[in-house]
Amino acid sequence: MNVRHLLPGTALAAVGLLTLTACGGSDGGGGGGGAAEGEVTRVEGAPEWCGTKEISFALLDGFGGNSWRLVTTESGRDEAAKCPSVTSFEYADGQGDTQKAISDIKSFASKGVDAMVVFPDAGKAVLPALTQAYKAGVVTVPYRVDPGGKAGENYDAWIGYDFAADARNWATWIEANVPDGGNILFLGGPAGNSQSTTEYETLRAELPETYQFVGEVPFTATDWDPTKTQTLLSAAISKNPDIDVIVSDFGPTLVSSLGLFPDSGRPIPALVTTDGNALSCFWADQQATNPFPMTTVTTGNDNVRLAVQVAIAKATGGKVPTETSFEGPVFEDSVTGTPNPVTCRPELPGDVYLSAELPGEKQAELG
């Protein structure tokens, strides 16, 4: 998979407000993060979460160095651009350095940015900085990774991702397409990560005992790295004569590894995973010689959009969304074609995620 370097954030041009309308009621927020109080307002023609107060906005990553983050960052910028009240947009990449991520949060708070959305890769290590920004009056919204703490005390809101919903969708598909039970190999991310752990626990609870997990439990830790995935999958094939289903919570890392099955004289198992253009094109290329069924859920780039909506609504006085976590839908199903058949766009890079709201063509331009 071609991994592109993340571009620095760009500023949105200041734009004039359109005619303003009032929407009645409170913003549903509160706390010390600067959320508007009283009547909710809305910029006419803009989303209802776009209030009338002009603000500066920042999007911060703890680590921005892969194609998924590149698309996610652009998705956040695109969502913020829907609100004319956002007069400036800034971005910072913590580059995997916890101290830099902490410094970035403190720096934007000191500069007086009105709202920030933070991907807190370092988890609880950045909680004091988030709390400091929140208490300084900055609308502060971490998302996807739980930093600990509590909304209303340490930040305005935490916008999570419903990984259990992904696992429930996978379990439903497994029971429908591998109905007699079987052996499941779950290839997850780094050891102990909460995403893969939640997915395994949900799968185990949803599936009857006729389905057994092979390999490491709760999951084989690949770090979502293609090279490590290939090494671990090779070992799993050697140890397990029967693997009926592979579960992976980042499907594109499997592209260079699934060929190990036909190389070993074995069929590629049924695959339940997340989407990526490289994976969909691999599936298409294999159908004539090594066909296998596959379903994907969205890779979740649009989790950031909900976080951006909440932060901007609280800072501008718009209507705050009621959702507190992002639930990614099923994206592809090779068996039913619902909601989409497996979709390969060979003219686009492999590291494009067609489940994202951001069009594939725009994703391709980012690198």
Side-chain angles (χ1 to χ4, degrees):
M1 185 182 203
N2 177 33
V3 177
R4 296 168 290 181
H5 292 293
L6 193 64
L7 298 176
T10 56
L12 292 175
V15 291
L17 291 178
L18 302 176
T19 303
L20 310 181
T21 61
C23 301
S26 68
D27 69 352
E37 298 292 343
E39 187 177 52
V40 173
T41 62
R42 176 185 178 185
V43 176
E44 185 176 337
E48 61 184 3
W49 47 265
C50 176
T52 59
K53 180 182 177 182
E54 291 189 349
I55 65 165
S56 56
F57 180 86
L59 182 65
L60 291 79
D61 261 329
F63 171 75
N66 59 43
S67 62
W68 187 90
R69 294 300 180 95
L70 183 105
V71 174
T72 300
T73 296
E74 184 64 14
S75 297
R77 186 210 64 80
D78 181 67
E79 196 68 13
K82 295 175 182 178
C83 181
S85 299
V86 178
T87 60
S88 69
F89 179 99
E90 296 185 77
Y91 172 78
D93 176 6
Q95 301 173 357
D97 183 331
T98 298
Q99 292 306 310
K100 183 180 187 304
I102 292 171
S103 178
D104 288 340
I105 295 169
K106 291 181 176 180
S107 175
F108 278 114
S110 296
K111 286 166 53 176
V113 68
D114 296 299
M116 65 170 69
V117 166
V118 182
F119 198 129
D121 291 83
K124 294 180 180 179
V126 301
L127 182 60
L130 293 171
T131 305
Q132 180 178 331
Y134 171 73
K135 291 186 175 180
V138 180
V139 172
T140 305
V141 179
Y143 79 105
R144 201 169 178 95
V145 173
D146 188 353
K150 183 178 180 181
E153 293 183 7
N154 304 98
Y155 40 77
D156 286 87
W158 173 62
I159 303 301
Y161 186 101
D162 192 345
F163 297 112
D166 285 350
R168 288 191 293 271
N169 286 328
W170 290 337
T172 299
W173 189 91
I174 290 170
E175 288 195 89
N177 293 282
V178 189
D180 299 323
N183 292 332
I184 300 173
L185 176 66
F186 185 7
L187 302 174
N193 83 86
S194 60
Q195 173 181 344
S196 302
T197 300
T198 297
E199 291 160 347
Y200 165 77
E201 291 173 348
T202 305
L203 282 167
R204 183 65 283 173
E206 293 285 326
L207 293 170
E209 291 301 322
T210 50
Y211 298 92
Q212 295 296 315
F213 286 82
V214 298
E216 298 295 322
V217 175
F219 57 87
T220 299
T222 69
D223 297 341
W224 296 310
D225 175 77
T227 301
K228 188 173 182 179
T229 297
Q230 188 172 53
T231 299
L232 292 172
L233 183 56
S234 179
I237 291 172
S238 298
K239 293 177 182 178
N240 300 282
D242 294 309
I243 299 175
D244 302 293
V245 180
I246 291 178
V247 175
S248 170
D249 48 12
F250 191 59
T253 59
L254 291 169
V255 171
S256 61
S257 303
L258 291 174
L260 293 169
F261 284 97
D263 289 348
S264 302
R266 294 164 61 172
I268 298 175
L271 179 60
V272 296
T273 186
T274 64
D275 83 289
N277 195 42
L279 179 64
S280 296
C281 289
F282 175 86
W283 180 91
D285 290 343
Q286 295 296 311
Q287 291 313 292
T289 54
N290 303 295
F292 63 97
M294 181 175 79
T295 187
T296 66
V297 297
T298 176
T299 307
N301 305 92
D302 293 328
N303 194 168
V304 70
R305 292 183 183 272
L306 179 57
V308 167
Q309 292 171 14
V310 170
I312 291 177
K314 285 179 171 287
T316 64
K319 183 177 180 180
V320 180
T322 58
E323 298 90 345
T324 58
S325 68
F326 178 83
E327 183 175 326
V330 174
F331 179 59
E332 298 164 306
D333 188 330
S334 71
V335 179
T336 66
T338 303
N340 300 291
V342 178
T343 305
C344 166
R345 296 282 303 276
E347 76 279 11
L348 296 177
D351 53 347
V352 159
Y353 308 95
L354 296 175
S355 65
E357 182 179 322
L358 194 71
E361 290 79 5
K362 288 189 176 181
Q363 295 182 40
E365 295 172 359
L366 297 177

